[in-house]
Amino acid sequence: MLNLERLRTLDALARHGSVSGAADGLHVTTSAVSQQMAKLEREVGQPLVARNGRGVRLTDAGRLLADHAARIISQVELAQADVEARRGCAVGELRIGAFPTAMRGLLPQVLSALRADHPELRVRVREQEPEESMAAVVRGDLDLALAIDWYNKRMPVPAELTRAHLLDDSADIAVPAGHPLAGCAEVSLAELAADDWISWNEGQFCHEWLVYTLRGTGIEPRITHIAEEHHTQLAFVEAGLGVCVAPRLGRGPVPDGVRLLPVADSVHRHVYAVWRADADRRPSVRAAVDALQRAAARQV
């Protein structure tokens, strides 16, 4: 009898292409991945991975079983969805991943509503960047994720996922109170060509978007500081260290020394929920999406 958790490990190894990548994706140690694979090889009676330089590769048998593992995991999702749908109520556990501003701006209302309307549903929330949370939904580590892309740069959504639009979140430019443009009713990005910028971590989708957008207006961005949290970015702006993009969702109080300027050409991002298509019939997923849409409607 093949063990489902070991098949999940093999599936993660096939998706990530390395033991360390599989371990990160499953939130376990590399040793745990190696142990699960060794046990799975004993179960099937043949090697599934082979050394490949410093890393590993799947053998022919490993690739064959990995293909089956992906289908088995999907079928388990379908079975769970069908059982929940037959009961007709949102029960059990639901795991949600959300980026920081959605955690602050949407999730508190959503979790309160789900607790009141579906008391038998246990919701667990994890703060995670959209790229990571979508990958976790594909793997089955999360049931639902909140993601974003921007008006001029879309984020690819894996084919296995279904998406539902929640809201369009406008963003302003935060400048120090003493900035020459601080008194303007609105500003164009081109007017900020000489400014230093405070951005998200390099490699993140929002950082890449900022560089792409500024270059599109003829600005070669001078990104002098990197800060993950919007509140940290605003603190740097107040100190006169640069300017930053300030989305409105979950923004909270703005420091006294910061001025927020709307952008003349309307900078905004799309916020949406994603879940596995094979979990579409799960009442718990539908209940969470409905609660998210109601909370998002109150933001507009």
Side-chain angles (χ1 to χ4, degrees), residues 223-239:
I223 296 174
T224 55
H225 300 290
I226 298 293
E228 181 71 22
E229 280 287 335
H230 287 290
H231 293 310
T232 306
Q233 294 180 6
L234 291 175
F236 275 52
V237 172
E238 185 180 35

Side-chain angles (χ1 to χ4, degrees), residues 150 169-175 185 187 189 192 197 209 234 244-248 251 259-263 267-268:
W150 292 85
D169 180 33
S170 295
D172 304 310
I173 302 299
V175 303
V187 68
L189 294 177
L192 300 163
W197 286 84
W209 164 81
L234 291 175
C244 75
V245 176
R248 296 177 186 175
R251 185 158 62 195
R259 299 294 179 267
L260 298 174
L261 307 177
V263 182
V267 170
H268 60 274

Side-chain angles (χ1 to χ4, degrees), residues 39-180:
K39 291 177 181 177
L40 186 58
E41 286 182 329
R42 288 197 294 272
E43 285 179 353
V44 300
Q46 54 188 308
L48 301 175
V49 294
R51 292 285 180 187
N52 185 27
R54 288 185 166 183
V56 298
R57 62 173 177 82
L58 294 182
T59 64
D60 289 345
R63 286 194 297 272
L64 176 65
L65 187 56
D67 288 342
H68 284 291
R71 290 194 292 271
I72 289 167
I73 292 167
S74 178
Q75 200 64 37
V76 169
E77 292 282 347
L78 282 171
Q80 184 178 1
D82 284 343
V83 169
E84 280 193 31
R86 187 172 181 83
R87 290 186 65 177
C89 56
V91 297
E93 182 177 86
L94 186 74
R95 301 157 300 170
I96 301 177
F99 56 96
T101 52
M103 286 282 282
R104 290 194 299 271
L106 288 177
L107 264 296
Q109 304 169 55
V110 169
L111 297 180
S112 293
L114 289 174
R115 176 178 288 181
D117 297 339
H118 306 283
E120 293 186 60
L121 179 64
R122 301 185 307 278
V123 183
R124 293 169 52 198
V125 175
R126 178 192 305 170
E127 186 174 294
Q128 220 170 17
E129 289 302 316
E131 305 97 311
E132 299 170 344
S133 60
M134 281 203 291
V137 174
V138 170
R139 293 193 304 270
D141 296 336
L142 291 174
D143 302 300
L144 186 73
L146 299 186
I148 53 171
D149 56 28
W150 292 85
Y151 69 103
N152 60 341
K153 188 175 179 66
R154 306 307 296 265
M155 178 181 286
V157 176
E160 303 98 316
L161 303 185
T162 297
R163 64 189 285 172
H165 178 264
L166 299 177
L167 73 144
D168 289 341
D169 180 33
S170 295
D172 304 310
I173 302 299
V175 303
H179 193 281

Side-chain angles (χ1 to χ4, degrees), residues 1-11 36 40 43 68-69 71-77:
M1 181 71 69
L2 294 172
N3 179 281
L4 181 59
E5 290 309 308
R6 288 168 200 153
L7 290 179
R8 287 191 186 277
T9 303
L10 176 61
D11 178 65
Q36 289 285 62
L40 186 58
E43 285 179 353
H68 284 291
R71 290 194 292 271
I72 289 167
I73 292 167
S74 178
Q75 200 64 37
V76 169
E77 292 282 347

